[in-house]
Amino acid sequence: MVFGRLPSEERILLTGAKGQVGGELLKTLEPLGVVIAPERAMMDLADATSVRDTIRAVRPRWIVNPGAYTEVDRAESEPDLAYAINAEAVKVIGEEARVLGAGVIHFSTDYVFDGSGEEPYVETDTVGPMSVYGASKLAGERALAESGAGHMIFRTSWVYGARGKNFLLTILKLAREREALRIVDDQHGAPTWSRDLARMTAHVIKRCEATAQTIGWKAALQDASGVYHAAGGGDTSWFEFAAEAVQQQREKEPGVRFAKIESISTDQYPTPARRPSNSRLNCTKLKERFEWTMMYWRDSLREVLSEL
Ligand SMILES: NC(=O)C1=CN([C@@H]2O[C@H](COP(=O)(O)OP(=O)(O)OC[C@H]3O[C@@H](n4cnc5c(N)ncnc54)[C@H](O)[C@@H]3O)[C@@H](O)[C@H]2O)C=CC1
């Protein structure tokens, strides 16, 4: 299979480039085409007009949209803003992409599920979000699917990396400051490295471009369109993830005292938004369709810690 750049001068419009996944995408997509990543002042996802105007001005071949309202608890008291960014903006992106014939890559979440059962969710499983955030992301998925644009929606979970606001960095900071940390042990899922998601996205774009050379752009996009689960390999709990991270960090810094990590249940740590107890995502479709396997969470954790 031939992997190459997009046709010369073709543009990729990237949202949320200051976020965890967007920051990685900015670097990973750069070799593929001309990446345009507007500041929020230029393209405000909460403002449908600015989203529409920017897309019309840029006329991209791809729109990659990791930009999102990601404050899960705050969304419970700011539903309008969460829906504007996570659903309305995605609807506009889909509508404009359809007119341009652009491909859309969008990111969604394990929180579209209610977390019942023990098995990893497949893409066709019944959704049932338990939070405003999850419901707003699901509304975005649906709006994009209904827009008629060629689209790929990657549902991921527990995103973290060496930069940004995430569980790992919070835990490592608190573990240096406190005697003990109490972490929930009854929510199961897999941490996903932001860079792995960015690399997967670049891989998928290259695959689509290569397919387009044989069957044409429109058919290649149509062929690839759909929802895909893309989360780290393996399965763990927040408690186990924290314990493993602190243990690995202890080995790197034997002289430093770190907090004891204690396990608690979700009932003992009430939050405004309810979270699914089963966040496991089955990523077989991604593997079969695009020949991409997401990194096992302990391996990516080791890599991320080596960067800190
Ligand atoms: N962080 C996580 O644990 C998970 C994230 N996801 C999804 O993955 C995607 C990427 O997430 P992260 O990179 O972790 O999020 P993030 O919170 O690190 O980044 C989101 C980006 O969106 C931008 N943004 C927010 N409101 C905006 C607005 N009104 N106008 C323009 N830009 C705006 C922020 O400035 C930031 O750059 C999102 O779609 C998120 O819903 C899915 C599952 C878990």
Side-chain angles (χ1 to χ4, degrees):
M1 184 159 295
V2 184
F3 285 163
R5 284 177 68 93
L6 278 58
S8 63
E9 297 307 306
E10 289 287 3
R11 289 177 284 265
I12 302 172
L13 177 61
L14 175 66
T15 71
K18 292 214 167 103
Q20 295 195 82
V21 179
E24 293 294 338
L25 280 163
L26 196 57
K27 293 176 271 177
T28 313
L29 298 179
E30 201 274 329
L32 301 186
V34 180
V35 180
I36 296 173
E39 299 275 329
R40 188 184 299 207
M42 285 286 297
M43 183 184 184
D44 181 355
L45 293 172
D47 173 3
T49 306
S50 96
V51 175
R52 207 179 284 287
D53 290 350
T54 306
I55 298 172
R56 288 183 185 180
V58 174
R59 301 187 62 78
R61 181 175 176 92
W62 288 96
I63 302 173
V64 181
N65 184 42
Y69 182 106
T70 54
E71 295 285 343
V72 175
D73 287 317
R74 204 193 306 156
E76 296 297 312
S77 52
E78 281 187 343
D80 292 350
L81 186 58
Y83 270 88
I85 296 171
N86 292 345
E88 274 307 306
V90 184
K91 180 169 183 270
V92 173
I93 287 172
E95 287 168 358
E96 294 300 317
R98 185 185 56 77
V99 173
L100 287 172
V104 181
I105 295 201
H106 179 61
F107 296 87
S108 190
T109 170
D110 51 314
Y111 287 11
V112 298
F113 295 113
D114 68 7
S116 56
E118 303 273 309
E119 289 299 308
Y121 285 100
V122 295
E123 289 78 356
T124 48
D125 278 334
T126 307
V127 287
M130 298 192 298
S131 61
V132 168
Y133 168 74
S136 70
K137 294 293 293 184
L138 179 61
E141 285 188 8
R142 287 183 168 154
L144 181 56
E146 284 162 16
S147 70
H151 65 276
M152 279 147 269
I153 296 168
F154 296 115
R155 286 190 191 135
T156 188
S157 65
W158 302 14
V159 176
Y160 78 106
R163 274 165 292 280
K165 200 174 157 209
N166 63 58
F167 177 81
L168 174 74
L169 298 183
T170 304
I171 290 299
L172 291 179
K173 179 174 177 290
L174 294 178
R176 290 170 190 274
E177 298 169 358
R178 300 205 185 153
E179 290 292 320
L181 294 178
R182 304 167 77 222
I183 314 285
V184 296
D185 197 16
D186 53 1
Q187 291 170 26
H188 296 268
T192 307
W193 186 16
S194 50
R195 188 170 304 161
D196 197 18
L197 279 172
R199 286 176 177 158
M200 179 277 294
T201 304
H203 170 83
V204 166
I205 288 179
K206 288 187 216 167
R207 294 292 288 251
C208 287
E209 292 291 343
T211 309
Q213 285 172 21
T214 49
I215 64 170
W217 170 245
K218 216 172 160 181
L221 267 189
Q222 231 166 35
D223 187 48
S225 283
V227 177
Y228 299 88
H229 288 174
D235 130 28
T236 186
S237 70
W238 290 113
F239 162 75
E240 198 189 346
F241 180 35
E244 175 73 21
V246 168
Q247 181 52 33
Q248 285 194 26
Q249 198 59 23
R250 243 187 220 121
E251 287 163 16
K252 279 174 60 189
E253 298 181 276
V256 177
R257 197 191 54 78
F258 287 97
K260 185 166 180 280
I261 309 298
E262 296 170 358
S263 111
I264 56 169
S265 66
T266 299
D267 295 347
Q268 293 170 281
Y269 188 74
T271 52
R274 285 177 67 208
R275 285 153 169 83
S277 57
N278 176 18
S279 275
R280 301 172 182 94
L281 298 175
N282 178 323
C283 301
T284 307
K285 185 179 172 193
L286 181 73
K287 187 175 172 188
E288 289 179 354
R289 182 64 187 74
F290 295 115
E291 294 175 76
W292 185 272
T293 303
M294 299 294 289
M295 276 178 84
Y296 181 61
W297 73 269
R298 280 181 209 272
D299 294 337
S300 60
L301 175 61
R302 201 164 297 113
E303 290 219 19
V304 171
L305 290 178
S306 74
E307 279 187 16
L308 295 179

